[in-house]
Amino acid sequence: MKKKILSIFAILLVLNILFVGCDNKTIDIPPYTEKLIGTANLVDVDNYMFSELYNSSKDKTYYRFKINTDNKDSVDIEVTDIDCFPTYADNTNVDYKDKLGKVYMYERTYKLSDTETIKRNVYKVYVLKDKVKEVSMGDENTDN
């Protein structure tokens, strides 16, 4: 019973470090594997495909976007910088030419121990710089 309580405490501690963050931004991320679970196209909403909101009081970035799969638009997807990895490019960036305007969705499995794992969905987004709407907390109507 004591071992089980210690295991639960260890899991909660790792989750707190992983998903709440720490002030010095030096988080040790446990080993993980990724599996591609799908791709989709970004949806243009009011001439933007991707919104980025930086909250200085929480020192965290939030992202919002819509995707289209099977000719159906999703509701807004809102994630933090823990689960979203954007790549900003322009039309001249040949490295990402085939990926621009797309979202690659992965299931990421973190290995906490030999018997314990955590699964999360992460998004890798490739978007044109001029299709990004940057918003600051407290000034939601500012376009940069």
Side-chain angles (χ1 to χ4, degrees):
M1 183 67 167
K2 193 175 188 178
K3 187 176 181 179
K4 192 173 190 175
I5 292 172
L6 285 174
S7 295
I8 292 171
F9 178 76
I11 291 171
L12 291 174
L13 181 62
V14 169
L15 285 173
N16 186 44
I17 291 170
L18 257 179
F19 304 118
V20 175
C22 60
D23 291 336
N24 64 7
K25 291 287 187 181
T26 56
I27 299 173
D28 289 331
I29 298 175
Y32 64 86
T33 57
E34 284 183 342
K35 178 176 75 170
L36 182 66
I37 57 174
T39 60
N41 293 314
L42 286 168
V43 175
D44 192 306
V45 177
D46 296 330
N47 208 29
Y48 294 101
M49 292 183 158
F50 192 75
S51 294
E52 179 180 302
L53 167 77
Y54 178 71
N55 184 332
S56 59
S57 67
K58 294 184 179 185
D59 194 26
K60 190 171 282 292
T61 303
Y62 298 86
Y63 303 105
R64 178 184 289 171
F65 54 94
K66 285 186 176 190
I67 59 174
N68 182 289
T69 52
D70 300 325
N71 292 322
K72 294 180 186 172
D73 291 353
S74 71
V75 296
D76 285 350
I77 297 171
E78 296 180 5
V79 292
T80 66
D81 50 6
I82 293 173
D83 298 321
C84 187
F85 305 93
T87 298
Y88 305 112
D90 58 32
N91 282 326
T92 63
N93 195 327
V94 294
D95 294 337
Y96 303 111
K97 192 168 183 104
D98 294 337
K99 293 181 178 182
L100 285 175
K102 297 198 181 294
V103 178
Y104 294 80
M105 298 162 287
Y106 294 85
E107 179 182 77
R108 186 176 280 185
T109 304
Y110 294 93
K111 185 175 181 180
L112 302 178
S113 70
D114 288 338
T115 58
E116 298 170 291
T117 60
I118 296 173
K119 292 186 180 205
R120 295 186 63 86
N121 289 336
V122 298
Y123 303 88
K124 294 183 181 178
V125 179
Y126 297 85
V127 63
L128 284 168
K129 291 176 190 174
D130 62 354
K131 292 292 187 176
V132 176
K133 181 178 184 180
E134 294 180 18
V135 181
S136 298
M137 189 60 119
D139 192 17
E140 287 80 17
N141 294 321
T142 301
D143 295 340
N144 291 336

